[in-house]
Amino acid sequence: MPANRFNGFTEYGVGIGLRIPHYQHIFEKKPVVDWFEIISENYMVDGGRPLQVLDQILDQYRVVQHGVSMYFGSAQPLSREHLKRLKTLVRRTNTPWLSDHLCWGSVDGRYTHDLLPIPYTWEAVKVTAKRIRQVQDYLEIPIVVENVSSYAEYHESEMAEWEFLNEVVEAADCGILLDVNNIYVSSQNHSFDPLTYVNSVPSWRVAQIHIAGHSKYRKYILDTHDHPVIDPVWSLYARAIERCGPTATLLEWDDNIPSFDEVHAEALKANRYLKRATVPNLPPGALNKVREHPLETR
Amino acid sequence: MTLLELQRRMAEAVMLPLTRTDTMQQKARNGRSMMAEAAAFIKPNDRLTSFERLEIYNRQYWFRIISAFAEDFPGLGAVVGQAAFEKLTRAYLTDCPSQSFTLRNLGSRLETWLLEHPQYAGKRLELALDVVRLEWAYIESFDNATERALTIADLGQLDGESQLSLQPHLRLLHLLDAVDDFVIDVHRRQASQGVASNAVTSAKHLRSRRLPASLKRGDIYLGVHRYENAVYYKRLEREEYLLLRALDAGSTLGEALDQAFTSSPLPEDQRPARVQAWFANWAELGWFCRHKTAAARRTARKRVN
Ligand SMILES: [Fe+2]
């Protein structure tokens, strides 16, 4: 969505992930960039250089926070301490929305530091939506959940991934960070049509889109963020933009990171689609739709 | 199976140590076949068995934490050697999996663990421990808090009953080997590519640095601290170290001075001038902040984990 309540009614254009190898270029050349996405965890510290660098970036650029460890789908209660640290950072960055993944990754106090797939069950819908609401209530900013790449499916699942996503965001009344590369990766790994996924997402909830590259192996695809975006992923992106309108877009590049200019140029290819996009017709009340007690309805 | 049961089962499998050739083990910790275990909750597809699909996550978990650990302890790698470091890494991370949302804290239990498992350091246990202490102090010093520092004027108000707290970014170390220059060199050469991300980590080759042929032995006292957002290793005199250590432990200034100079060869008439010079230097580096009780400091420290 161009601007909606899930992205704080902003129109952010095309951004890239803020990465250490690019610091020097950014500070010396001060390139024009619509916005930077930061990994929250890199700055959830008490002091030192990470915060100094962040403050310098904040002086000149718009920044959006993206997390990797909230684990909305973990079955156990949220960590108060983690939330407190995150809130301190939210106050510093003034991020208009905050994203993290629709996944789990820790249990009994042990962390895998991975984005593990959630079984698509009704129990998981309830647990996940509840945690998203708790985070949203505590941080007091829009929360946006991102679909992850996956390499395995569970016997326990009771619905398709896109159905699970829809149920969770409805129950939590939150936004979506639609990662079209992750949809592509999972579609190849689990043999489904990625267009079915893109077409079934509630477009009025999409606050942001991720694009990225991946690595293809003989029997599966890994989400490595170390290549340019491939054409089939651009096609999914085009379809997503057609459905959602010109949406804040971010290119992820995390390994074998090329020069700043190369990464930025790759990201700006998104403009080919964004420039011709029109704002789609919204379902009535989509911008201010509030569901009462959605968790109790099931 | 409830969500929690499934997650416990999956985590157990994902965190199961890899075989020597970096594949998933055939047997779980309880002796059960991993083939059967994987099939119990993971669906196969037309290309991969349940075991193979689970193995992707198992490998990914280990590659990620092994590479994060190697990035934090390159000096330790150089001391124990490549092959021993790989073994040590896997054994430590098996015994002490991450308990924090951030990989930064991966090495927080390494010193204690190595003391309990000296066999992983080979013949150079003392040296390895010194390097671990230094590399962990670097991590703590790099991004711990800086509180409002007491000025030289504030310090002028002190008396024998005063108590002081040290900056959270200051770590005091007593080492038995002169490893500081070596560790500085290793860290300087290490490419700073460490970014948390949601991408898959590949099995990176761990490069290690050679240890200098001979390292001077003898007591080394260090203050690892941050100044203008860079971490420094400052050599301290023995008495200077003891004084800071005592203050950090909550002693009053009077008690701390007594502890610092017990069995000191420094002539008594030279001590006041020396102490004054230290305080001037510490004030300049901003090492002191207003006194906090031990309980308050413990809570502040706990926040990191
Ligand atoms: Fe993503």
Side-chain angles (χ1 to χ4, degrees), chain A residues 37 66 101 115 146-149 177-182 208-212 223 225 250-252 254, chain B residues 198-199:
Chain A
E37 186 181 76
H66 178 55
H101 301 83
L115 309 173
E146 176 182 355
N147 57 295
V148 296
S149 292
L177 193 183
L178 194 66
D179 188 318
V180 285
N181 176 60
N182 287 349
Q208 182 193 335
I209 298 182
H210 266 175
I211 46 177
D223 181 30
H225 298 176
L250 183 119
L251 170 72
E252 298 182 289
D254 295 312
Chain B
N198 57 351

Side-chain angles (χ1 to χ4, degrees), chain B residues 194-222:
Chain B
V195 190
S197 78
N198 57 351
V200 167
T201 317
S202 54
K204 290 220 181 75
H205 209 71
L206 313 172
R207 255 174 303 146
S208 83
R209 309 276 172 219
R210 274 275 171 75
L211 192 67
S214 67
L215 270 179
K216 256 211 223 58
R217 295 223 71 184
D219 295 303
I220 303 283
Y221 301 95
L222 283 183

